[in-house]
Amino acid sequence: MHYNETVKTHYDTIGKSYSSTRQPDPRIAKQILSALGSATSVANIGAGTGSYEPEDRQVIAVEPSATMISQRQDNKSCLIQGSAEKLPLANQSVDAALAILTIHHWTDLAAGIQEMHRVARNEVVILSWDQAVWESNFWMIRDYHQQALEADRHRAIPIEQLCSYFKSSDVSVVPIPHDCMDGFHGAFWQRPEAYLDPVVRAGISTYANMSNQQELDIVGRLQADLEDGSWRLRNAHLLQLEEIDLGYRLIVGQNQ
């Protein structure tokens, strides 16, 4: 996320439920840990409540929002309130830099990634999403979010653009399990009733970025389709799957 006062205030407002709805999923955590390779020290940029911070490595967490910081559980991370575009860290002070579902909130992507390059001796690891796959594979976006799609597309960063910031990069699919423990937007693809819960939606920035009326329209249409069986009729095939590709991608970029 971009750490100016606007976004800081935004997350001080919408981040109040993160500790209850945004728990790290161990399968996604395993993939992120593998991407960090042999790094023994990690800077977690846009660290939020501390999800996906490896417990067996030295972690410096950088986060602007007091609300998010207050929900962090006791851990071994060194915590700094700071800015992605101007990281309060020395050159090459950590082995790897990490950014989990955060870069779409930055207002200066190039500056933020340049800072990650500056502080990391080796890997830069970013979890983001491919908007084209997201729109075609996720029923919530395809069937209910048409009125909010333009805002979503504006926030999305093409994977090719992300890769262009690195001399070399590797992109991996991050499949979302049917019982995903982390309540980000795509987590409940097999549990549609979850999106009717305002506490769940409060932990998803997409809903905070739309008007109350837009949110109510989406929720109302989904609820009606669940009640009359339309959702199940359209999406019965999903109920047999263990995991799905919703476009989430893990990019591992190399400085050298």
Side-chain angles (χ1 to χ4, degrees):
M1 64 188 68
H2 175 61
Y3 304 108
N4 59 22
E5 286 302 315
T6 300
V7 175
K8 179 179 175 181
T9 301
H10 178 65
Y11 265 83
D12 281 341
T13 301
I14 73 166
K16 294 178 180 179
S17 68
Y18 265 50
S19 60
S20 61
T21 64
R22 300 296 295 271
Q23 301 299 315
D25 184 273
R27 291 148 294 192
I28 297 174
K30 182 179 180 180
Q31 192 168 351
I32 292 171
L33 190 64
S34 177
L36 289 171
S38 60
T40 59
S41 56
V42 179
N44 186 19
I45 313 306
T49 58
S51 292
Y52 303 107
E53 290 177 1
E55 296 181 358
D56 61 343
R57 312 181 192 208
Q58 178 188 359
V59 176
I60 301 174
V62 182
E63 166 61 38
S65 167
T67 296
M68 302 292 273
I69 290 171
S70 70
Q71 296 178 78
R72 292 178 65 90
Q73 303 297 314
D74 291 338
N75 55 45
K76 299 178 182 178
S77 299
C78 171
L79 177 62
I80 302 174
Q81 193 166 17
S83 164
E85 289 84 353
K86 193 174 181 180
L87 293 173
L89 302 173
N91 294 348
Q92 297 190 328
S93 54
V94 293
D95 291 331
L98 178 66
I100 303 297
L101 295 177
T102 180
I103 62 169
H104 54 287
H105 295 296
W106 299 357
T107 57
D108 192 337
L109 176 67
I113 292 182
Q114 183 176 356
E115 279 291 88
M116 294 178 79
H117 276 306
R118 181 182 65 80
V119 303
R121 288 183 286 269
N122 299 307
E123 295 88 358
V124 171
V125 178
I126 297 172
L127 178 60
S128 189
W129 78 90
D130 184 315
Q131 183 67 20
V133 179
W134 176 245
E135 290 184 21
S136 62
N137 288 10
F138 187 23
W139 56 264
M140 188 63 167
I141 301 300
R142 185 184 64 239
D143 299 337
Y144 299 97
H145 271 259
Q146 291 301 316
Q147 58 187 322
L149 264 181
E150 283 309 311
D152 212 31
R153 288 167 180 158
H154 179 73
R155 298 194 314 154
I157 300 164
I159 300 301
E160 296 79 6
Q161 179 182 346
L162 285 177
C163 292
S164 72
Y165 291 107
F166 306 106
K167 291 183 178 179
S168 64
S169 60
D170 180 68
V171 180
S172 301
V173 173
V174 179
I176 308 305
H178 72 98
D179 56 352
C180 184
M181 295 174 59
D182 190 347
F184 51 76
H185 200 186
F188 306 102
W189 59 270
Q190 202 181 79
R191 296 165 288 168
E193 294 83 2
Y195 296 107
L196 305 181
D197 186 344
V199 175
V200 169
R201 296 197 306 275
I204 302 172
S205 63
T206 297
Y207 296 99
N209 290 323
M210 63 178 64
S211 70
N212 289 337
Q213 189 58 55
Q214 282 181 318
E215 182 176 355
L216 290 174
D217 287 347
I218 289 169
V219 172
R221 286 187 287 117
L222 174 58
Q223 183 169 10
D225 284 355
L226 289 171
E227 291 175 353
D228 69 14
S230 299
W231 183 91
R232 189 178 185 88
L233 188 63
R234 285 196 303 270
N235 299 289
H237 64 289
L238 297 179
L239 302 179
Q240 309 304 317
L241 301 179
E242 292 294 316
E243 61 184 25
I244 193 173
D245 177 10
L246 294 180
Y248 290 95
R249 299 291 183 263
L250 195 62
I251 298 97
V252 180
Q254 300 292 338
N255 287 334
Q256 301 177 9

